[in-house]
Amino acid sequence: DTADLLDHAVAGFLRQHNISAIEAMSYDEKRCLINTVEERGLFRIRGTVNRLADMLNVSRASIYNYRASLKNGDTSGADDCQ
């Protein structure tokens, strides 16, 4: 199931960055997660923006803004995404 791909990516990100819960994520951590989802090509899957917005408790517009800032070269805070 395609939703499982996103769930797996988010869970892996949380583990990798030692984040206990999505609710505890900072702005920069959310940007890193968006970057990770982008790099994995998961935004090509229909419904990813809506699902990720629900998971992060932000609007769809916020997801698009995160993506736009990363695409426009604003990597402040996203440098530590490894």
Side-chain angles (χ1 to χ4, degrees):
D1 178 79
T2 56
D4 290 338
L5 292 173
L6 182 60
D7 292 345
H8 181 68
V10 171
F13 179 88
L14 294 175
R15 273 192 309 277
Q16 181 180 3
H17 294 275
N18 296 317
I19 301 169
S20 59
I22 288 176
E23 296 80 16
M25 291 177 73
S26 68
Y27 172 81
D28 288 336
E29 289 168 334
K30 288 178 183 178
R31 287 191 57 200
C32 287
L33 174 59
I34 299 297
N35 191 49
T36 299
V37 171
E38 189 79 60
E39 287 176 347
R40 292 186 181 189
L42 296 176
F43 282 114
R44 294 183 194 153
I45 299 171
R46 184 181 182 125
T48 296
V49 171
N50 289 338
R51 185 162 175 76
L52 194 55
D54 288 344
M55 292 171 86
L56 296 177
N57 197 29
V58 299
S59 68
R60 286 181 18 220
S62 292
I63 299 297
Y64 289 118
N65 289 336
Y66 285 127
R67 292 179 74 195
S69 71
L70 290 165
K71 286 181 182 177
N72 290 332
D74 179 9
T75 57
S76 59
D79 298 337
D80 303 324
C81 290
Q82 306 302 324

